[in-house]
Amino acid sequence: MSLSNLSNRFRIVIAAAMMLALLPGCEESKPLRIGFIGELTTRAAGLATSGRDGFLLAIEEINADGGINGRQVEGLVVDARMHKETALHAVRKLAEGEVSAIIGPMTSQTAVTIVPTINNLKIPLISPTVSTNELSGIDDYFFRVYYTNAQAAQLLAGYLHEQDDPLHIAAIYDLSNRAYTEDWVEYFQDMFEKQPGSKVTRIPFDIRTNTLYTDLATMAIEAKPDGILLLANAVDTAMVCQQLAKLDAEPALYATGWSYSDDLIQFGGKSVEGLAIIQSADPEDPAPAMQSFVKRYRQRFRATPNFPAVHAYDATRLI
């Protein structure tokens, strides 16, 4: 990262801190309320539940250290599901709870839905995992601690070009999270096809309809690609991989962070072995800070943290 980019990031952090300082104060005896909004009861719930746990761990540790300026922190958790009305209701519920800031949401589609309301309410919103470019470069109350789709797409395109092969990618992507998946594929295709001979075949689907995983796998194989890119939640990624395995598919398999949760292996089994995933946090990183976090998280939740937990923890500490 260039010094210029680092400078921009620090200015964002300072701006977020200044906004909190300008929020209406309350009695010192009252807790400081921070909200969490995530898609907790959907097929993509693994992303949100991990984020929620990282959020709760950060708050528990802050309170154990004496809180913030002597005030305890209270975390309010609400479920946005994947519906516009539910997400907006969740935001209003947090606003009524007088939260000083909100952590979340965990999917780009929900973020695009709620940011206009967040701006009207003037509540700082910091997302651990939202990456759509649709919310980039705007002067508003939305912040993130995660990379953008453009950055991730460039990373994968560059990696594939270095391999010389594959030159043809079939991209299977779920339109129920259109702000993430369609945005991701568009950037990837633009960057990948800059190399002569490279090609992307798009295979969109919408899990909210009667989508058959067998049909998706068959369409991908019939395109005769060198590799298959999956942009879907962990469960749906696993189901497609199961069908590809049944059809003895040979193309290399790739996925993004949205596919990465315990559900991927639980539902995919051997069919997801060899699946390459773009990842932003590695719980096996030997760095002392990461290993200390992993230890504390395991002690609290009896599970290994994945990237949503890491970034939600960081976002909460940042607030």
Side-chain angles (χ1 to χ4, degrees):
M1 181 181 293
S2 69
L3 290 176
S4 176
N5 287 336
L6 279 173
S7 178
N8 288 336
R9 176 166 293 186
F10 285 132
R11 283 200 293 272
I12 289 174
V13 172
I14 293 169
M18 288 176 64
M19 281 188 291
L20 282 175
L22 293 173
L23 290 173
C26 56
E27 297 177 12
E28 293 185 2
S29 60
K30 296 179 66 175
L32 177 68
R33 290 180 171 177
I34 305 295
F36 174 87
I37 182 170
E39 303 77 359
L40 295 166
T41 53
T42 69
R43 295 174 67 85
L47 195 71
T49 54
S50 293
R52 176 202 60 197
D53 291 347
F55 165 77
L56 293 175
L57 179 61
I59 287 179
E60 291 170 5
E61 291 181 354
I62 291 169
N63 286 335
D65 289 338
I68 299 177
N69 294 330
R71 294 171 60 189
Q72 291 288 286
V73 180
E74 181 181 350
L76 304 183
V77 177
V78 295
D79 184 8
R81 303 184 69 180
M82 283 291 282
H83 303 292
K84 179 178 180 179
E85 295 76 13
T86 308
L88 292 174
H89 174 74
V91 170
R92 289 191 290 269
K93 184 176 180 180
L94 289 176
E96 291 170 359
E98 298 182 341
V99 296
S100 295
I102 299 173
I103 303 301
M106 306 301 286
T107 66
S108 292
Q109 192 62 46
T110 300
V112 169
T113 297
I114 69 174
V115 163
T117 300
I118 288 292
N119 290 336
N120 289 334
L121 294 170
K122 297 183 179 180
I123 301 175
L125 176 73
I126 297 188
S127 175
T129 54
V130 165
S131 58
T132 180
N133 288 279
E134 190 173 338
L135 296 174
S136 297
I138 304 173
D139 183 9
D140 59 7
Y141 283 78
F142 172 76
F143 303 88
R144 66 179 114 204
V145 296
Y146 198 62
Y147 51 64
T148 65
N149 288 342
Q151 292 171 310
Q154 183 176 20
L155 177 66
L156 180 60
Y159 171 79
L160 294 177
H161 287 157
E162 290 175 357
Q163 311 306 308
D164 293 325
D165 193 43
L167 294 176
H168 180 196
I169 293 288
I172 301 175
Y173 56 102
D174 181 7
L175 293 178
S176 70
N177 190 10
R178 182 189 295 269
Y180 172 71
T181 59
E182 195 167 62
D183 184 64
W184 212 105
V185 171
E186 287 178 358
Y187 275 91
F188 173 73
Q189 183 170 7
D190 179 64
M191 296 174 185
F192 186 67
E193 291 184 348
K194 286 181 179 179
Q195 178 166 304
S198 296
K199 175 185 176 182
V200 174
T201 296
R202 297 192 185 193
I203 305 176
F205 73 98
D206 194 325
I207 198 58
R208 295 168 295 188
T209 63
N210 295 323
T211 300
L212 296 178
Y213 300 113
T214 302
D215 292 344
L216 294 175
T218 300
M219 284 188 285
I221 292 176
E222 288 179 347
K224 298 181 179 180
D226 301 298
I228 297 174
L229 171 63
L230 295 153
L231 292 118
N233 66 61
V235 174
D236 294 325
T237 297
M239 294 297 98
V240 173
C241 287
Q242 287 274 21
Q243 297 306 314
L244 288 170
K246 291 179 181 179
L247 296 173
D248 296 322
E250 296 182 356
L253 300 177
Y254 304 92
T256 66
W258 193 26
S259 300
Y260 187 69
S261 79
D262 293 339
D263 289 338
L264 179 66
I265 297 177
Q266 180 179 344
F267 288 91
K270 291 184 178 180
S271 70
V272 298
E273 289 184 3
L275 174 66
I277 300 177
I278 296 177
Q279 195 51 275
S280 57
D282 181 8
E284 296 183 4
D285 183 343
M290 176 62 79
Q291 289 311 304
S292 175
F293 171 76
V294 170
K295 181 180 179 180
R296 301 194 311 275
Y297 187 93
R298 283 175 174 166
Q299 289 175 340
R300 175 63 176 84
F301 299 107
R302 299 294 186 268
T304 299
N306 53 19
F307 79 98
V310 173
H311 298 319
Y313 178 89
D314 284 345
T316 309
R317 297 300 303 228
L318 174 60
I319 281 291

